[in-house]
Amino acid sequence: MFISRLVAPIVTLFLCLGEGNVVEALTASAFAAYPFDYIIVGGGTAGLVVANRLSANPNIKVGVLEAGASGLDDPIIYTPGKVGWAVGTSYDWNFETIEQPVLNDRKLGWSRGKALGGSSAINFYVWMRGNKPDYDAWANLGNAGWDFDSMIPYFKKPEHFHEPSPTDATNFKLDYVTADHGSTGPINTCYSIQYGGSHQYWHDTLNNLGVPRRDTFGGSNWGVWTGLTSVNPNNRTRSYSASQYYLPFSYRTNLHVLTNAMVRKVVIQNVGGHQTATGVVFTHGGVDYTVNAASEVILSAGTVQSPQILELSGVGNPTVLSAAGIPLKVNSPKVGENLQDRIMTVMLYEIDPSVENQDPLQDPIELAELELEYNTNHTGLLTVLPTDFAYVPLHYFLNSTYVNYLRGLVTGTDDRTNNIKSKLNHTLDLGSMEFVFDPNQLFPLITPEPGKKYGTVFQMLQYPFSTGSIHIPAAVGGVSPTSDDHPIIDPKYYEGDGIVDMYTMAEAQKFADSIARESPLSSIIVQRVVPPEPAPGTETDWLQYVKDTTISDWHPIGTCAMGGTGGIADGVVDEKLKVYGVKRLRVVDASIIPVQISSHLQGTVYAIAEKGADMILQDYQCKRRRRRR
Ligand SMILES: Cc1cc2nc3c(=O)[nH]c(=O)nc-3n(C[C@H](O)[C@H](O)[C@H](O)COP(=O)(O)OP(=O)(O)OC[C@H]3O[C@@H](n4cnc5c(N)ncnc54)[C@H](O)[C@@H]3O)c2cc1C
Ligand SMILES: *[C@@H]1O[C@H](CO)[C@@H](O)[C@H](O)[C@H]1NC(C)=O
Ligand SMILES: *[C@@H]1O[C@H](CO)[C@@H](O)[C@H](O)[C@H]1NC(C)=O
Ligand SMILES: *[C@@H]1O[C@H](CO)[C@@H](O)[C@H](O)[C@H]1NC(C)=O
Ligand SMILES: *[C@@H]1O[C@H](CO)[C@@H](O)[C@H](O)[C@H]1NC(C)=O
């Protein structure tokens, strides 16, 4: 399924299809010479939201530099049934962590989208929202305006929720409160129209384990539910930042997007005694260019690369920068620190061969038929996505004695650690662990035996203590790293206070296993294959299994976090997302999140970008008013 595909190496031409107005992209040299007000680094999830909102004002000239290509016309990007196929292709940066000592020195793959739309182009279409306390924690650190209630308008602004038919709502057990969703935003969200062969059993199975059906968008997201997806309901294609925030607006003559453009650094100059961002250096077609930004530079390069670019620009920890041979402009010790990723394990079960799943996609002839059906009628297996979700509080799998023991292991005393510690509470109804079942083999854990079908149980820890870092590497032979050199990603999984994550994962694994053994889901399970069923009289060593098989769930945050009351000692940007110590420079993407939330991230990243764009526009209006006076 992880087919490597060559992306048509088209020039960076962007033609607006269907809108009448055809705008040709600027060449790289014309882009560099263009009098932009704002330059956005990274045309990903957040970057294209900001570009759209700023360029809605025809007087504001916006330039976007994106390292990847467009995948707008590529079925592996937009077809729901091909979920996961773009992982590992040229649409993926294919990062890797350094060796993780607690994970038997394994290096873990770290997917990040490298395409117009960024990770929203390759993600798994899950649309959801965290708990109220998750966002309130950001505000409690001293980041005014980021509490859940203040965020609600920004959760809704990106979204256009499409209600299911009453028949679908009943048949597929869809629980929703329309008022909790947006109705006029660019990103379409809807429920699937067809489901895999396990869906009918999912809710009752979790109910039998004591987990109730609940709607989850109102600030409390635990329970069992059918997943909402970021899909265009009219043609069942991916609804993401490139297709919704960019393509329909690409006719705007004040908005210019240059793809295949690799940003090297932000130009930071001393202007009137202040370090000030004045532009960006980028490479396109082997040539280096500098482009100026009269108002601001916005970094939206994501959790891995926004800190990388800050360091390459001279903003960061002096030790890191001097090792890399980069002249220090601003001593900002938290750049690249505070990395919190989401931790995942999966188990594999053999399922009954009669269960409908995505296996026909592996057969070229059947795939061609399914593609014809999908393209003609927008129906069939290629519309199917993983949608069987449960977010389960700790008390379902940890007793109070054990929770108290785990709390005692936590040594950190900073506000962020205390916040996560407060969520390690046996009585709290927070979705601390996510469980998903999908009747497919979504990870190549074994070579499938012919004629057999497999199902995957996923388990993802929501509030990790494991805290790592992302930094540029040291200079080699006197040569400094560039943005081509992958940064050193060290999530420090299960190290330090992260030991609590490991024990929590091991205990939760028993609950995950009990899901497959509970009726009615158990009726389609033949046997567990990874890890193999234990020999009679023995038990699976779950702690060992967790060490052996933990992988990333691709939700890293925190490397340019909002610093709150601690300011530059605790973070990289203020609550207006302005980089401490540098004028006219902001970060707007997942990296600004100071504490992990219990949710898939894209809905929150869109909200961050909408809020960021609002704050940038407010400052723009203030400056204009000041100039007029
Ligand atoms: C495989 C996968 C599955 C996921 N599944 C889900 C899901 O189902 N639901 C969900 O809610 N979330 C999911 N996520 C997470 C979610 O998609 C991300 O958290 C979110 O999209 C991040 O947005 P961002 O704007 O911070 O970064 P990105 O969207 O990654 O954008 C960063 C952009 O910057 C560009 N860039 C980086 N460096 C440079 C440079 N030097 N020069 C020029 N451009 C540069 C990149 O190419 C990219 O386009 C998934 C993520 C992955 C990787
Ligand atoms: C699907 O519809 C959306 C609008 O809802 C449109 O932007 C997109 O181009 C269409 N995709 C395809 C492949 O037809
Ligand atoms: C599309 O749907 C119609 C009506 O159900 C059906 O007759 C036709 O065979 C379908 N086309 C394809 C290509 O599946
Ligand atoms: C609590 O859970 C731990 C870890 O599974 C177990 O060792 C212990 O026996 C349990 N204690 C009680 C009182 O159930
Ligand atoms: C756990 O949560 C309950 C309910 O909110 C609260 O009363 C209690 O003080 C918390 N315990 C700890 C140790 O934080």
Side-chain angles (χ1 to χ4, degrees), residues 59-70:
N59 298 320
I60 301 181
K61 299 182 196 69
V62 181
V64 180
L65 292 164
E66 167 53 45
S70 165

Side-chain angles (χ1 to χ4, degrees), residues 85 359-371:
W85 287 27
D359 279 0
L361 273 57
Q362 311 295 328
D363 178 80
I365 294 166
E366 291 194 72
L367 178 60
E369 280 168 15
L370 289 166
E371 282 169 339

Side-chain angles (χ1 to χ4, degrees), residues 11-295:
V11 242
T12 65
L13 248 200
F14 259 94
L15 300 179
C16 174
L17 310 165
E19 290 286 326
N21 243 340
V22 174
V23 177
E24 281 195 38
L26 297 178
T27 61
S29 59
F31 187 99
Y34 198 85
F36 287 113
D37 297 300
Y38 294 89
I39 291 290
I40 296 167
V41 177
T45 314
L48 292 180
V49 174
V50 177
N52 175 308
R53 296 305 181 191
L54 297 186
S55 64
N57 179 337
N59 298 320
I60 301 181
K61 299 182 196 69
V62 181
V64 180
L65 292 164
E66 167 53 45
S70 165
L72 277 163
D73 296 329
D74 193 332
I76 76 163
I77 296 288
Y78 68 69
T79 313
K82 296 181 177 177
V83 59
W85 287 27
V87 170
T89 67
S90 60
Y91 293 121
D92 185 346
W93 286 92
N94 295 303
F95 292 119
E96 207 179 51
T97 68
I98 62 168
E99 287 179 358
Q100 296 296 292
V102 187
L103 305 183
N104 311 327
D105 291 335
R106 283 185 297 127
K107 297 178 178 180
L108 305 193
W110 258 45
S111 279
R112 300 275 87 202
K114 184 183 184 182
L116 205 58
S119 297
S120 76
I122 67 165
N123 74 20
F124 286 17
Y125 302 77
V126 181
W127 187 265
M128 63 175 291
R129 196 175 289 169
N131 292 288
K132 184 176 189 305
D134 298 351
Y135 306 95
D136 289 352
W138 304 0
N140 290 340
L141 291 173
N143 303 297
W146 292 91
D147 56 287
F148 182 79
D149 291 341
S150 305
M151 290 286 282
I152 289 176
Y154 296 110
F155 289 134
K156 291 184 179 178
K157 195 171 180 186
E159 186 184 13
H160 183 166
F161 173 66
H162 299 264
E163 269 191 56
S165 73
T167 322
D168 277 7
T170 306
N171 288 348
F172 303 130
K173 303 189 167 116
L174 314 177
D175 299 305
Y176 60 92
V177 175
T178 308
D180 286 338
H181 295 274
S183 56
T184 56
I187 302 292
N188 295 295
T189 63
C190 61
Y191 290 101
S192 294
I193 42 168
Q194 188 173 327
Y195 291 82
S198 63
H199 186 69
Q200 55 184 310
Y201 306 119
W202 179 246
H203 300 71
D204 290 347
T205 301
L206 270 294
N207 291 167
N208 288 342
L209 290 166
V211 182
R213 270 174 69 176
R214 292 180 80 241
D215 165 70
T216 58
F217 282 83
S220 165
N221 77 354
W222 70 281
V224 55
W225 68 86
T226 302
L228 185 63
T229 64
S230 46
V231 166
N232 293 313
N234 60 321
N235 57 10
R236 297 283 147 189
T237 59
R238 180 186 293 272
S239 190
Y240 68 119
S241 70
S243 69
Q244 311 304 125
Y245 277 93
Y246 174 62
L247 188 59
F249 304 91
S250 55
Y251 65 87
R252 288 178 183 165
T253 52
N254 59 326
L255 170 62
H256 296 281
V257 175
L258 191 65
T259 52
N260 299 310
M262 182 69 153
V263 169
R264 297 305 180 193
K265 63 172 185 176
V266 180
V267 180
I268 297 176
Q269 292 173 317
N270 191 321
V271 178
H274 295 288
Q275 296 290 5
T276 306
T278 59
V280 159
V281 176
F282 68 95
T283 306
H284 187 274
V287 182
D288 286 347
Y289 301 90
T290 301
V291 57
N292 292 329
S295 287

Side-chain angles (χ1 to χ4, degrees), residues 318-379:
T319 315
V320 172
L321 267 62
S322 77
I326 306 282
L328 183 75
K329 299 221 159 130
V330 175
N331 178 344
S332 186
K334 284 289 150 76
V335 173
E337 296 295 319
N338 193 39
L339 170 67
Q340 299 153 62
D341 189 26
R342 200 164 337 274
I343 294 157
M344 169 159 78
T345 51
V346 299
M347 293 187 286
L348 211 60
Y349 292 81
E350 186 188 335
I351 61 174
D352 193 280
S354 66
V355 175
E356 184 165 31
N357 74 354
Q358 306 291 90
D359 279 0
L361 273 57
Q362 311 295 328
D363 178 80
I365 294 166
E366 291 194 72
L367 178 60
E369 280 168 15
L370 289 166
E371 282 169 339
L372 181 65
E373 180 188 358
Y374 175 74
N375 293 331
T376 318
N377 289 343
H378 316 303
T379 55

Side-chain angles (χ1 to χ4, degrees), residues 409-545:
L409 296 180
V410 179
T411 59
T413 54
D414 56 294
D415 289 350
R416 189 184 63 78
T417 309
N418 283 337
N419 179 268
I420 308 167
K421 196 172 169 181
S422 73
K423 290 169 180 149
L424 190 61
N425 182 334
H426 185 255
T427 63
L428 285 183
D429 276 332
L430 287 175
S432 286
M433 196 67 76
E434 173 184 5
F435 300 98
V436 178
F437 185 83
D438 197 61
N440 293 288
Q441 178 175 357
L442 278 170
F443 290 88
L445 291 175
I446 51 153
T447 311
E449 282 182 47
K452 290 191 173 172
K453 282 185 178 174
Y454 300 91
T456 312
V457 173
F458 302 74
Q459 162 180 310
M460 294 86 131
L461 179 80
Q462 301 301 301
Y463 301 118
F465 285 96
S466 302
T467 307
S469 64
I470 296 180
H471 290 297
I472 55 174
V476 178
V479 180
S480 292
T482 73
S483 54
D484 288 332
D485 299 300
H486 283 186
I488 297 170
I489 300 176
D490 185 6
K492 295 195 176 7
Y493 296 117
Y494 305 148
E495 293 178 50
D497 287 346
I499 188 95
V500 174
D501 302 342
M502 186 175 73
Y503 290 141
T504 309
M505 287 290 281
E507 293 297 317
Q509 223 44 92
K510 297 176 202 165
F511 186 86
D513 192 46
S514 70
I515 295 176
R517 295 178 195 283
E518 184 64 53
S519 76
L521 189 63
S522 55
S523 67
I524 60 164
I525 305 281
V526 177
Q527 59 167 337
R528 198 175 77 200
V529 285
V530 182
E533 300 275 10
T538 66
E539 271 187 53
T540 306
D541 184 345
W542 290 114
L543 200 59
Q544 193 60 43
Y545 186 69

